[in-house]
Amino acid sequence: MKTFGLILIIAGIAMIVIRGFSVQTEKKVVDVGPVEINKKENKWIGWPTYAGAVVAVVGVVLVATNRNRT
């Protein structure tokens, strides 16, 4: 559990620093016989800052409870 807790702490800090990322998708606009027209769009995938804090806190709790058992 200690390793999983450390991973959650690192992931939570990364989620606070990096608030999301952009993904490029291709959308078909027109498809008439042999003619195709595609459009590239950028979509933002993000998460709220407090989600990273919650993940980091859960990691700290896992690490702290693991130390008390040992």
Side-chain angles (χ1 to χ4, degrees):
M1 285 307 249
K2 183 178 179 183
T3 305
F4 185 62
L6 291 173
I7 291 171
L8 285 178
I9 292 170
I10 292 169
I13 292 171
M15 286 175 69
I16 292 171
V17 173
I18 303 168
R19 295 188 177 147
F21 55 92
S22 181
V23 177
Q24 190 174 39
T25 60
E26 194 169 309
K27 183 178 179 183
K28 191 180 291 187
V29 179
V30 176
D31 187 9
V32 181
V35 178
E36 276 188 21
I37 299 176
N38 296 325
K39 178 182 177 184
K40 291 183 180 180
E41 294 179 338
N42 289 327
K43 293 196 177 198
W44 178 257
I45 299 174
W47 45 82
T49 305
Y50 65 84
V54 169
V55 171
V57 167
V58 169
V60 169
V61 168
L62 285 176
V63 170
T65 57
N66 191 26
R67 285 188 184 170
N68 291 339
R69 290 185 196 173
T70 315

